[in-house]
Amino acid sequence: MMKKLVAEFIGTFWLVLGGCGAAVLAAAFPHLGIGFLGVALAFGLTLLTMCYAIGHISGCHINPAVTLGLWSGGRFPGSEVVPYIIAQVLGGIGGAAVLYVIASGNRSEERRVGKECRL
């Protein structure tokens, strides 16, 4: 069971980092950067990589809605729903935290250059 939970954690972490990372870092609005299609492809390709990487281990739900849907359809045991959702939420929080650190960055160089330009 632990192997499945770690796989779900990694899968959700990767989806948030790759998909949301593309949206946050490369798709500014109104100048779209990679554009809506690029963000959609980033989400799709990160999901595809996880399907191949962890699909055979955990089923690659990487979304609590998918887990609940499979359970309500009778295709997933109820005893595994809560642990799966906890692993997915923690993976999403971890991916978001790493993305926050990357996106906020160290702006000390920008501040130094900005001061030189004002002189």
Side-chain angles (χ1 to χ4, degrees):
M1 178 67 167
M2 187 56 104
K3 191 183 274 190
K4 292 180 180 181
L5 297 179
V6 169
E8 286 296 314
F9 176 90
I10 292 169
T12 310
F13 178 94
W14 185 245
L15 181 66
V16 170
L17 186 63
C20 296
V24 169
L25 299 173
F29 191 81
H31 307 290
L32 291 178
I34 64 171
F36 297 130
L37 180 61
V39 173
L41 285 170
F43 271 103
L45 292 173
T46 55
L47 184 58
L48 179 70
T49 59
M50 284 298 100
C51 287
Y52 279 105
I54 67 170
H56 65 286
I57 298 170
S58 68
C60 191
H61 302 183
I62 66 174
N63 185 337
V66 173
T67 302
L68 288 173
L70 289 170
W71 169 74
S72 68
R75 297 178 180 207
F76 192 69
S79 62
E80 295 183 11
V81 169
V82 172
Y84 258 59
I85 290 175
I86 290 171
Q88 292 160 350
V89 169
L90 291 176
I93 290 170
V98 169
L99 181 57
Y100 175 78
V101 169
I102 293 169
S104 60
N106 182 357
R107 304 221 165 146
S108 62
E109 184 65 24
E110 284 181 20
R111 287 190 291 271
R112 186 184 65 75
V113 170
K115 287 179 184 176
E116 290 174 1
C117 292
R118 282 182 258 168
L119 294 176

